[in-house]
Structures are given as C-alpha cells and as structure tokens.
Amino acid sequence: MSYNPYKPILSKVTSIIDETHNIKTFTLVHEEEFEFKTGQFVQFVISEVGEAPFTPSSSPYVKEKMDITIMKAGRVTNMIHTLKEGDLVGIRGPFGKGYPIEDFYGREVLILGGGVGMAPLRSLLLTLIAQKDKFKRLLLLYGAKTPGDIIYKEQFADWKRQGVEIYRTVDNGDETWKEKTGVVTVLCDDVKVGKEIAIVCGPPIMMRFGTFKLLDMGYRPENIYLSMEKNMSCGIGKCGHCALGPYFVCKDGPVFKYSEIEHLEDIWD
Amino acid sequence: MDTLKLQKGNLENFLQKLGEEFAVFAPVMSDGIVSFLELRPGQKSVLDFPRTHKPPKDIFYPQTEVMLRYGRDGLQSTEYKGKPIVLFGVRPCDAKSFILLERVFIEPKYKDPYWVARRNKTLIFSLACNDPLPSCFCNWLDGGPFNKTGSDIFITDIDDDYLFEPISEDGERFLSGVDILKEATEKDIKKAKNAKERAESSMEKPPKLDSLKSSLDTLWDETLWDEISLRCLGCAVCTYSCPTCYCFDIQDESRRGKGVRIRLWDSCMFPLFTKEGSGHNPRPLQKHRLRQRFMHKFNYFVEKQGEFGCVGCGRCVSLCPVNIDIRSFITSVIQTAQGRGDT
C-alpha cells in the first residue's frame, strides 16, 4: 500500500513532566519506526477530539522515544493535558522543512527563544550540541514571562556545561530572580556577536520584534531563520489553512529564512 | 482518429453500455436542479443543462469523505475501490478545473491517495457550451465554450447528433472500441464549427489580464477590499460552488474507541478557518478573508503554478446572495493599479 499522509501511527505516552502551571512535556514511544529532522513538526492526534501541530522538543538522534512540549491553549491542548502515562495517542508526520543544520557548519549560531517557543529550540539545541565542534560558537538567548514560566529549568546548566553561552531574561522577575529583566530583545544588547546565523522562535509578537532587533544588530535577512506558526492541518500543503502569501507553512516551512518571506504583507498577522 | 457521432436517440443506450465497465457520472435532474450523479440503470441524463449548481469536483473529491476507520481491529484507510469513473458531459470550464486541482492533489512530493484512487483510469467527456450564460467568463482565462483542456473526449451537440472528438490517447482508445458510433460527415463538422463560432461570438470581449497579478502585488492596503467586503455575508457559497477551490478540514468523530476520520470541504471565508489554538486569528475581518480568496486565485496560485486559479465558470457570480461579481472586482483591481500608475 502506498504512503498515506493522513494516517497516524500509534504512540504511547510513557512519561509526563510538568514544566510550568500550563506547560507539560510528554514522552512518546511509537509503535512503528518514526524519524524526524529538527524543526519539522508532527500532528498530535488525540482520540475523540482531533489533532494539533507541534514540533518535537527532543533530539532527532534519539530514535526510541520522542518528547513534545505542549502549552494548554485551546480545545485539543486542553484535552492533551488530561492524558495519563500509558495512554495511546496518534502521531502523523513529520511534515515540512526543518533547520538546514549543514548550512550552519563553521559558523556562529545565535538562538533567540521566547516562552514555549523554547520547545522546538531545545530539539535544535540538542542537535547542535551533538556536533558542537562543527560550529564556531553557540548562544542561547531565552525570555519568559516570569521565572515560573521558564521551561526545561533543570537543563540549562547542562547545556552551559556543553559549551552553550546562555543569557536569560523574564518580563517580570521576583525575589529569586538574579538574571536580567525585560523582554527578550534586551539580551541582544548584552552579547558581542559575529552576526552570522540567528534562529528565532516564540510567540508572534516576540518573533516580530526579535527579528527587527537582529536586523538592527546587522544580521542579514538570509541568515535569520524563523519558525513560523499558523493553523497547520493536513501537513502536506493541500487543505489551505496555513497559507502565508504564496506559501503553505506546513509544506514550505515551518522554518523560513527571513529573506524568503520579508516581502509578504501578512508575515506578522 | 476522426470525429465520430452518436444519434441523440442512442444516448441512453450508449451510457448504459458505458456503465458496464465504468461508474458513470452524468448530469441528472434531481431535487429541481441538475447535478452530476452516478447514473442508475434506467436513469436519464440531461445534456441540455446550462451549468450545474455544484461543480463536479465532488466526484473526485467528495464534499464529505471518510478517510480512515478505526476500532478494535486497528486503523483502515478507505480509498475508493470501485469501478473506474467516467465523467460524462462536464462543461469545458469544469474539465479544465481538474488540471488546476491536480497541481495541488497530485503534486510530485505529496500525492493525495483519495484523489488518486478515484481519478485513476477515469475518462472525462466534456461537452461544448453552445449557449454560454451571461455570467460565464471562461474566455477571460484562456478558456472558452469549446475549450478542450482536460478533456479525453470532446462532445458537441449538433441538433440530432452528438459529435465525439477524441482528445487524449485514452479517449481515442476508448472510442475505437464503440460500435454504436458512426463517422461524422463534413456537414456535421461544419455544424460544430458554426456552433463554436456562434458561442464564442456571443460572449463579451474579455479584458486583458496580463497586469492582474502584478496589480494585486500593490493593492494590499487599498480601500477596495473594504468596499467589497462590506457586502459580503461570509456565507462561502463562492468557495463551495467553485470548481477550483480545494480547501478542506479534517475531523475525527468517534465513540467508545470506534470512529472515523473524515474530511470536509472548508472555506477561507469562515473566521474559524485560520483561528489558532491560542485564540489568535491572523485574518480576523471579512475583508482579510476576501482578500485571501482573490489573492490566492489571481496572485499566489499564479506565482506557484503559473496560471490563474479560476476557470471563469461564473458560479460564484450567479450564486452570491449579495451580487459580488468577481469580474467587476478583477476590472477594478486593474483600473485602480493603473490609476495609481503602478503597472
């Protein structure tokens, strides 16, 4: 039988981590072979409710299981948050183009992340760390609303040990917070960079101002990579929901160079 | 192979024979309107219809379709497994629409298995329009009442007979095996030629659309979107009746571990179409949605596929409850851009 892109495979939830009050990470073990490239997304199917698109947050080199970090936001994600260990779900994909890692070899890579946008970036970061000698320098600039909204809290120290330069900020700090306060772009003023490759992922407003900040700093549009978010459904550029100008984010993205989409009028809508 | 002819009185006989090998879909009078339905034995086809309300795209791409069934015994895909399909008597605009839809459904990277299963081994008999309607504008878009694009066999109504002209190799192969057909005479061919000239000259001279795509590049913020969208009810009849609109939604319906995954036609005219889980909607206003529809057909589709995503069938013109006419929109886009000196 030929490949049917609409057909999910079964997957078992084997562990659930509470990252914040509204974000959980689900570890899935698939019942069939499944591979993805970092930055590609999957459809997470939950019985009797439907499906929603997410980018895996684990390393693509780990084949036996896959993590997906999900914020409770709408109908499907509310239902996903009620899942328990041992429950079966469906996974469809992977879809779209991931990050062109080979194009980053030999260069400095700056990652600008906000909120739950850190989920796909963790997958990317783990991919880069796995071959860290191939890059000139790795930087992570991460912002969240409050210290309580930071995800992967325990993992930053490990990434630092692996040689990633990490800068963090929160919009509103508290008495425990000793790092920077302010929106994520304030971190850009703290780093001296070679302005080679930048990768942005976060909520729409952060993507917009993050990109503008990088351009101001002197990054070239073709060296800024954005992970665009739309209402992706079919995953194969047919159903029309995720149209962005002449592109379908699901098939032509979700990772775009800024230079590919900067002329589109609805890029930040 | 030469053009053949079928006596009108033999049509039913011909269709019945066709039905032995194929699932034959033909225009049929049902509930007071003509629709493309699968012919049942003894059912009559109506070939003197002006245009069906619903385009025949639903034969390859049903309005609702079960894609998968699941239950205790696993997950089954439900692609079409019936006889090869014959689509008999589609108008030239609709025949052309399949070519455009296939740019999407059978593009090289991802073929849609459900479209492919139905479209496999089909034959398309298109039927020339002797009397185009006032809302028809196929001649604006490289089409015409006698255009043969997308057709395997081209039918022309010449009073007492139908002429059958083979267009594709499949069409030729099929016609060579049908003994009920006779060779057309020179007089018959002349009649068809006259009908073609009459039909073509009955249509208004089309405007030049060379600058339409580039005009749209410059009109994103123009007030013309506000003007047109104030009238729009967002009912989506334009997209449902459009032979080249293809957007769909996927829904899962299940109870107690048993269920189906279905797909349904969807429409960019609906606010929910783009609404994201967070509540954010990139196209919150009707003017954004109308702009998307026009931009997709006359700008984005051209950029990706090299031609307009419209065949000029005129259904949206005649069915719109508030008389939004895509033709006046097209001309006003070109005029607005010209008036500003953008093109």
Side-chain angles (χ1 to χ4, degrees), chain B residues 39-97:
Chain B
L39 274 188
R40 293 189 308 268
Q43 198 172 25
K44 277 198 172 157
S45 169
V46 186
L47 285 191
D48 55 352
F49 66 103
R51 172 173 63 213
T52 54
H53 269 48
K54 207 172 164 185
K57 67 180 176 187
D58 66 339
I59 290 155
F60 302 128
Y61 169 46
Q63 188 164 351
T64 59
E65 169 176 34
V66 173
M67 307 175 96
L68 303 165
R69 277 180 203 287
Y70 51 96
R72 272 192 212 106
D73 41 352
L75 190 67
Q76 280 96 37
S77 172
T78 53
E79 285 104 330
Y80 178 76
K81 290 184 186 77
K83 291 186 198 171
I85 290 171
V86 155
L87 197 43
F88 191 85
V90 289
R91 295 299 185 185
C93 52
D94 290 336
K96 187 182 168 196
S97 77

Side-chain angles (χ1 to χ4, degrees), chain A residues 47-68:
Chain A
S47 175
E48 321 219 348
V49 184
E51 56 183 22
F54 304 97
T55 304
S57 53
S58 53
S59 164
Y61 303 128
V62 177
K63 312 273 190 209
E64 65 278 8
K65 57 183 186 173
M66 181 174 93
D67 291 345
I68 301 187

Side-chain angles (χ1 to χ4, degrees), chain B residues 91-134:
Chain B
R91 295 299 185 185
C93 52
D94 290 336
K96 187 182 168 196
S97 77
F98 299 131
I99 306 281
L100 299 181
L101 289 174
E102 291 189 338
R103 300 272 169 84
V104 177
F105 283 116
I106 55 170
E107 55 101 18
K109 192 168 176 205
Y110 290 112
K111 297 196 182 350
D112 186 277
Y114 303 92
W115 176 282
V116 170
R118 284 198 174 78
R119 188 74 162 96
N120 194 17
K121 297 187 199 141
T122 56
L123 278 180
I124 307 243
F125 288 71
S126 51
L127 172 66
C129 294
N130 289 354
D131 301 296
L133 296 171

